Every structure is written in structure tokens, then in C-alpha cells.
Amino acid sequence: MALSARLEIRQGQGLVITPQLQQAIKLLQLSNLELEAYVEAELERNPLLARDEGEAEPPAPPEAEGGEARAEAALDEVAAGQAQSDLDAAHDEASPGERATGDSEAGEAGGAIDWSKAGKGGGFEGDGDGMDALAAHEKTLAEHLTDQAALLGLSGPDLALAGVLIDGVDEGGYLRLDLAETAERLGCGVDRVEAVLGRLQGLEPVGVFARDVRECLMLQLQDRDRCDPAMMALLDNLDLLARRDMAALRRVCGVDEEDLRDMVAELRALTPRPGAAFGGEPSQPVAPDVFVREGPGGLWLVELNTDTLPRVLVDQRYHAKVAGGSRSDQEKTFVADCLASANWLVRSLDQRAKTILKVASEIVRQQDGFLAYGVEHLRPLNLKTVAEAIGMHESTVSRVTANKYVATPRGLFELKFFFTSAIASSAGGEAHSAESVRHRIRQLIDAEQGGAEVHSDDRIVEILKEAGVDIARRTVAKYREAMRIPSSVERRRMLKEAV
């Protein structure tokens, strides 16, 4: 069969993600500090962009959670004469490059934009690797601790408590929170906070979550199985060691000079600042992107923090001046590209603010029990639930909740704090949080210490199904092993040995 070349005309539909759409998608996942840095770079690059130095307009009326009607935030109208476009909808405006060439068919392709198919993509002119460089950073101590805490098998409320405690750890690894104040703010008992803290103090690096130097050294000695009475006496008298009063130390520790010398050498081998191994940038205070406050009638009001929103505008007067003085085609193309890029950035910032407000409002509506009654009432929630409620894609919600914080009457939380997994109910009712199911399993096994029957995994499944939790035996075994609880055979043997 002979090969030949021929021309064919084919018509088809395809998703076109312009550089400007890539810009809008990336803007969503930036924190307010990263966004500020990016906007500053754009102000230097684009002569038609200007910072709005005018007096800030009154903030948009907050959204009240409750009832069917939720008002959209009234934000400034930008790019006069241009229709606003939702980032999840089609956009019919030509990109700067398309305007220069007159080829705008790609912008007229229409159809809904599926953000899940928008990868990192290539950079656009003037961007290079700037966006990626802004987001790039070394793994911090908080991220390292969060990754480990996720593997502890904590219940939903306890995992939320762990997140709060991790936020209270300084760069040296010390906990700088008052436990009683934290318990009161989160609506739980101090005993529960101390129990979660005890689990977290077993994380790496050893010694983190200590509240003073003595406790930090004690945690490291316990990990080495060297925390005997003599060593505890030495830890209780660190002031004598600081004064080099060895005679007094020998008396209180009950050891001779050689043993004391060895004990002091062990202390010097420990790390008084276990978190210092995680270098990096000095921590910066977090500014909330959203405020939540209680309104009349038990409603929760959600509003944006206008201080974190960059205020930029297109300098139309300067554009008219330079456009009138442009003579060559290259100059006209440059001015047209700058104008289109500036208009798109202003609109992208406007749409970003609206999207954050919409997502945060739905999260507050779903987790109103936590805001009203405390961490015990944190409901299971996932990205899909929020996405379906507000008519957006899951990937959009994921980008919005990344690096965004909300200030509530119970403290400052990252938006991802409110997402927990769920297990279906056997009675067809409301789903159960996976973490709460782990908590029930631990309660059943803890009750065995009081003389109750030792439950096998099958028996635990039966008890949970009677309580309305639809769970498989292998899931119970997985949760039990994640919590480092031995099997029923081993627990029976341990109880007999204890007797």
C-alpha cells in the first residue's frame, strides 16, 4: 500500500487552558503573603498596573450562615465593560497574545473548564519559575510533626487538638501554650488535652512538645531508658548543676563522684532544642484570610479580611497616553499585552476573593457545631461535600483551602483543619467520623482493664454495628494496629499475667 500525503479538515472540541487561566488557578492556592509578593512582582513588571492608594471601601456585608439565601460579597467592579467570569465557567476573552495576533478562536471554544485536568502547566511571559519559587520551601518542624500525628490513629476531636498543639510549638520544639486556656477555648477537658499531648511527646525528634528544659531532657532520657531515680533527682536540681555545686548534687542524687560525672556527660549528650534541626525561615505571624463571628439568632457571619487582599487597578489614564504615542507594531503589541494582562490580574484577584468567601461560608455552615459547642462536635467532612454544595470542582476547593486561615471565636485555624474522614452508618443515618470510630474502639478495649470481657475484632464489629456503625472486621484490625493495640489473644495473656 503506497503512502501519500493529503489534507483533511476535522472539527472537534478541546479544553484550552490559556496562560491567564493558569495564572488564575495558581493564584487560588497562594497564601496571602505569597500573593502579596506575586502582586508586587507584577506591579514592577507591568507599567499599566497601579496600587490603589485610595481609601478602602467599607467591607462587604458578611454572609450569614443559616437559611437558604446567602448573599455574595459585593466586591469592586473592575475592567469596566467586561463581563465577570467564574473560574469554573467558560471564558470568552482573548489572551494578550491572541489579541496581538487577532487569533481569538481558542478563547471562543466555550464549554465548562474542568480544573482537575489543569496541571502545573507552563509559565506565561514574565512569570518563569517565579510562582513555583514562591511556593517552594523546606519542610518545617510543624509539617514534620503533622505528618507523624496523622499516623497515631487519633480520633477526630483528638486529631484536631493535636493540630492546635502543633501550632503552639516554637522553632526550638517547645510547647508555648497554656493547656487550661487551650482546653477552655476548644470546649474540652484539660485531661483530654494532656492525654493528646502525651501521645505527641512520643514523636520525632525526641523531646518536642516539652514545656521546659527539664521536661525536654526527661523525654529524651525516657526514650533511652535512662530515666532512673538518680537521674530524675539530677533533673530536679538543674540549678545546682548550673552553679557547679557537685557536692550538693552527689547528696541529692545519692551517687558517688564517678557516677555523677557519667550522669552529667549523659545530659550534655542530649539536645536542649530538638526542633533546631529543622532550619528555615523564621516563623511569621499568620494573618487570617476570613473572619467568623457570631451574629444574631445563632447565625455565624463570615467576612473576608480586606487587609490581606491586594488592591490594584488598571491605570487607564496612563494607558491612553502611551497607546496614543505608540507608533510601531511592536509598541502597540506590547501595550495591548500589558493592558490585557493587567485586566486579567485584577479580575483574577476579584474572583479569588469571591471563591474563598464562598468556600469558607460553606465550611462554617457544615461545622457550626464545632463553633458553638467545641471540638467534640467536629463533623466528618470532605472536599466533595463542599464542592457539590457550592457547585465547584473538588480541585478548586482543595486549592482554596490550601494555606488559608480563618479566625473564629475558638481560635485561628487553617481551613483544612475542618476536613475529617467518615464511615457510613449501618442504619442509613448520618455518617460517623473515622477518628471517632477509632476512639470507640479504644474505649471498648480500655474497658477490659476494669474486668470486662476481652473483645475479639469480630465482637467489636458486632458492638459497633449495634451502635449504628457499618464497619468491616479488617477495618477494625487496621485501626487497632494503627493504635498499637495488641490482638485479643495477647491482651488475654497480658491480663492473666497481671493477675
Side-chain angles (χ1 to χ4, degrees), residues 270-290:
L270 302 178
T271 306
R273 289 173 55 84
F278 291 81
E281 304 174 352
S283 58
Q284 299 180 352
V286 175
D289 299 270
V290 180

Side-chain angles (χ1 to χ4, degrees), residues 165-185:
L165 294 177
I166 289 173
D167 289 340
V169 174
D170 66 12
E171 64 276 5
Y174 288 87
L175 182 65
R176 301 305 185 189
L177 290 180
D178 181 83
L179 298 189
E181 180 182 340
T182 302
E184 181 180 0
R185 176 164 58 88

Side-chain angles (χ1 to χ4, degrees), residues 87 108 133 164 189 193 211 216 238 249 259 269 443 453 458 490:
L87 291 178
E108 298 171 356
V164 174
V193 178
R211 284 156 286 187
C216 178
L238 291 178
L249 282 176
D259 288 339
Q443 285 182 324
E453 174 191 358
D458 290 322
E490 295 175 351

Side-chain angles (χ1 to χ4, degrees), residues 145-468:
L145 295 175
T146 301
D147 291 344
Q148 295 180 79
L151 303 176
L152 291 179
L154 298 172
S155 65
D158 287 349
L159 190 59
L161 277 173
V164 174
L165 294 177
I166 289 173
D167 289 340
V169 174
D170 66 12
E171 64 276 5
Y174 288 87
L175 182 65
R176 301 305 185 189
L177 290 180
D178 181 83
L179 298 189
E181 180 182 340
T182 302
E184 181 180 0
R185 176 164 58 88
L186 295 178
C188 62
V190 178
D191 293 342
R192 184 163 197 168
V193 178
E194 291 177 344
V196 174
L197 176 60
R199 299 288 302 278
L200 295 178
Q201 286 179 337
L203 301 181
E204 295 286 342
V206 180
V208 291
F209 291 99
R211 284 156 286 187
D212 51 42
V213 176
R214 174 190 174 279
E215 187 175 19
C216 178
L217 299 177
M218 182 185 69
L219 291 173
Q220 296 178 58
L221 290 170
Q222 288 175 345
D223 182 68
R224 301 183 181 192
D225 197 20
R226 281 291 296 119
C227 202
D228 52 37
M231 190 65 79
M232 287 299 299
L234 178 59
L235 292 177
D236 291 336
N237 294 274
L238 291 178
D239 56 332
L240 296 179
L241 181 60
R243 297 198 301 265
R244 298 181 178 275
D245 192 346
M246 298 304 178
L249 282 176
R250 287 196 297 271
R251 287 195 301 271
V252 297
C253 295
V255 296
D256 56 26
E257 184 176 354
E258 183 179 357
D259 288 339
L260 180 61
R261 189 183 303 112
D262 293 339
M263 292 166 60
V264 172
E266 284 189 64
L267 283 189
R268 288 176 176 171
L270 302 178
T271 306
R273 289 173 55 84
F278 291 81
E281 304 174 352
S283 58
Q284 299 180 352
V286 175
D289 299 270
V290 180
F291 290 113
V292 176
R293 55 187 175 87
E294 189 172 4
L299 301 180
W300 295 98
L301 305 180
V302 183
E303 57 187 356
L304 292 171
N305 181 4
T306 56
D307 292 339
T308 63
L309 299 178
R311 298 178 60 84
V312 295
L313 48 81
V314 181
D315 193 339
Q316 298 289 354
R317 182 176 301 176
Y318 183 66
H319 169 256
K321 180 179 179 180
V322 297
S326 301
R327 300 184 182 278
S328 66
D329 291 340
Q330 184 178 2
E331 292 175 350
K332 292 178 181 179
T333 299
F334 174 76
V335 173
D337 284 351
C338 287
L339 178 62
S341 178
N343 281 331
W344 188 279
L345 177 61
V346 173
R347 295 180 64 187
S348 296
L349 292 174
D350 177 74
Q351 190 61 49
R352 176 185 181 273
K354 289 183 177 180
T355 306
I356 291 175
L357 182 61
K358 182 180 291 187
V359 172
S361 299
E362 179 60 24
I363 291 175
V364 169
R365 189 183 71 83
Q366 296 279 354
Q367 299 290 10
D368 58 342
F370 163 77
L371 297 172
Y373 304 109
V375 70
E376 286 284 355
H377 297 267
L378 195 64
R379 297 176 55 193
L381 185 65
N382 55 32
L383 296 173
K384 183 178 179 181
T385 302
V386 175
E388 290 178 349
I390 62 178
M392 290 185 176
H393 196 274
E394 288 181 53
S395 60
T396 305
V397 178
S398 177
R399 288 184 175 94
V400 170
T401 54
N403 305 313
K404 310 298 186 304
Y405 291 83
V406 53
T408 73
R410 295 197 175 273
L412 183 68
F413 302 96
E414 190 175 5
L415 285 178
K416 287 188 179 296
F417 167 88
F418 298 97
F419 291 95
T420 59
S421 56
I423 291 179
S425 170
S426 60
E430 186 175 357
H432 303 272
S433 167
E435 286 76 12
S436 67
V437 174
R438 292 190 188 98
H439 183 61
R440 293 191 188 187
I441 294 174
R442 177 172 288 280
Q443 285 182 324
L444 289 173
I445 295 176
D446 288 344
E448 298 171 357
Q449 304 295 329
E453 174 191 358
V454 176
H455 301 303
S456 65
D457 291 346
D458 290 322
R459 177 55 183 159
I460 293 176
V461 169
E462 295 175 1
I463 295 175
L464 292 177
K465 286 189 175 181
E466 291 174 359

